[in-house]
Amino acid sequence: MKSFVALRLFVLLAFLALVQTSNAQPFSGGTKKVLFLGNSITYGGQYITDIEAYCAINYPDQKIEFINMGLPSETVAGLSEPGHAGGKFPRPDLHERLDRIMALVKPDLVFACYGMNDGLYMPFDEGRFAKYKEGINWLHDKYVKAGIRIIHLTPPIYDELRGGKKGYAAVLDRYSDWLLAQRKTGWEVADIHYPMKKYLGAHRKVDAAFKIDGFYLAADGVHPAEVGHWIMAKELLLYMGEKQVVSGANVLAVIRHARKEELLKLVAQKQSMMKDAWLTAAGHKRPMKVGLPLEEAKKKAAEIDEQISSLMK
């Protein structure tokens, strides 16, 4: 009798553990706003769309606002090369707008992805490297002192074969290595750089075997297309504990819903509208498309969320 009771207790505990695991989610229950900072790769935002779609569809009970504040051309180093953008404007500097972003958004969690622009697509230089480190330390301290969790992303890879700037891939290796080393001091750093580099390298070996230069993640060497953005999203979800995405070939492969294609399009539509509204509301100095007034955009976003909820049913 005692052994039977013990067996039932074991089965019950195993069941509860299974339920708890299945209800686990990448973001804590108190997370309501997740902010993404970065440059044009973040502004492009497909990796953010992938993450939002994954969370909204797989964990519909947790309502999170994913806010894209990526600004094309931006650096955290505060540097700009002579004649940037044909002399039309210097590179934007995060220092100029961060206080306004912090006051406007008040996030619970921040992802920050800088480095691609910070070396100015030039050979390695200790002075530029020092400015990058100084800027990252400044950004980190701003959010830590505010009591807000920040996760840094290593910069995406630069493809010299497509972009043409010889030696710049090694510059971003060094920037990534420094950022990863900050884990020893307690920083949270998610690595997207080396997974992208490994994937590109594997495909380049196939190209070399066939004597063809056909494969790339970014047509211009900088801005990843769909596959590159999924690698970024996948690595962030893995960092947040979502082990089930490890074998996912794309975001649709890890979303559990019969109408996931329609749902993904709606999330992308909302993200596309909201990122311009957020950028315009916070203000910046780069020539850009003007977004809708923030309150108007939020109303339209709420309508899209209603469509999403209806499809989810």
Side-chain angles (χ1 to χ4, degrees):
M1 183 66 179
K2 288 182 179 180
S3 60
F4 178 73
V5 172
L7 178 62
R8 290 191 61 180
L9 180 59
F10 174 81
V11 171
L12 177 60
L13 290 173
F15 174 76
L16 289 174
L18 179 63
V19 170
Q20 288 173 352
T21 301
S22 65
N23 288 336
Q25 51 198 19
F27 300 98
S28 65
T31 302
K32 301 301 179 187
K33 289 183 180 180
V34 176
L35 170 65
F36 292 82
L37 294 173
N39 47 45
S40 55
I41 296 170
T42 294
Y43 177 78
Q46 187 173 337
Y47 78 96
I48 302 172
T49 294
D50 287 350
I51 291 170
E52 177 172 0
Y54 174 87
C55 293
I57 299 169
N58 289 348
Y59 303 107
D61 292 336
Q62 186 177 25
K63 307 299 182 184
I64 298 177
E65 191 173 7
F66 293 89
I67 299 168
N68 183 349
M69 277 280 196
L71 183 62
S73 312
E74 188 169 71
T75 77
V76 74
L79 301 173
S80 186
E81 63 272 47
H84 172 71
K88 295 177 183 177
F89 58 90
R91 288 189 179 278
D93 178 4
L94 180 63
H95 291 75
E96 187 277 325
R97 67 185 183 115
L98 185 60
D99 284 343
R100 296 193 301 276
I101 292 172
M102 293 181 76
L104 178 66
V105 178
K106 297 181 177 64
D108 303 298
L109 171 63
V110 178
F111 288 99
C113 185
Y114 287 95
M116 178 61 79
N117 296 333
D118 292 84
L120 302 182
Y121 302 92
M122 298 178 185
F124 181 79
D125 173 80
E126 286 290 354
R128 286 191 287 272
F129 189 30
K131 293 296 289 183
Y132 168 73
K133 291 187 285 187
E134 179 184 313
I136 292 291
N137 277 302
W138 163 80
L139 170 60
H140 183 82
D141 289 346
K142 290 282 281 189
Y143 278 105
V144 169
K145 289 176 181 177
I148 297 169
R149 183 185 180 191
I150 180 168
I151 300 172
H152 298 274
L153 281 60
T154 52
I157 56 163
Y158 178 77
D159 184 351
E160 294 181 7
L161 184 64
R162 304 295 300 190
K165 303 293 184 181
K166 298 300 181 184
Y168 200 61
V171 171
L172 294 187
D173 283 351
R174 291 188 68 167
Y175 283 24
S176 297
D177 290 344
W178 174 80
L179 196 52
L180 288 166
Q182 304 317 300
R183 288 174 172 174
K184 296 178 182 178
T185 66
W187 288 26
E188 291 198 69
V189 181
D191 184 24
I192 60 173
H193 180 84
Y194 284 106
M196 293 178 81
K197 183 175 181 176
K198 182 178 179 181
Y199 187 87
L200 179 62
H203 284 77
R204 284 286 158 80
K205 286 180 180 178
V206 175
D207 281 0
F210 285 89
K211 295 180 173 55
I212 294 173
D213 291 332
F215 183 83
Y216 56 84
L217 286 174
D220 62 357
V222 176
H223 301 93
E226 182 177 349
V227 172
H229 273 272
W230 171 238
I231 294 173
M232 294 172 67
K234 186 175 183 178
E235 290 303 321
L236 292 187
L237 288 168
L238 285 169
Y239 181 87
M240 300 302 289
E242 293 298 285
K243 303 301 183 186
Q244 60 267 34
V245 306
V246 72
S247 60
N250 53 51
V251 67
L252 291 174
V254 294
I255 290 176
R256 303 184 296 268
H257 199 278
R259 304 183 73 175
K260 54 191 176 183
E261 290 89 352
E262 296 171 79
L263 290 163
L264 181 61
K265 287 179 181 178
L266 286 171
V267 172
Q269 179 186 339
K270 182 176 68 169
Q271 276 291 331
S272 179
M273 174 185 65
M274 289 305 302
K275 66 184 180 184
D276 290 319
W278 280 112
L279 279 177
T280 300
H284 56 81
K285 293 186 175 181
R286 190 194 192 283
M288 285 287 289
K289 173 185 176 181
V290 176
L292 293 172
L294 189 56
E295 290 308 311
E296 180 182 344
K298 285 184 176 182
K299 289 179 181 177
K300 290 181 179 292
E303 292 172 1
I304 295 173
D305 283 336
E306 284 296 322
Q307 295 179 57
I308 292 172
S309 295
S310 294
L311 281 178
M312 290 286 289
K313 296 174 183 177

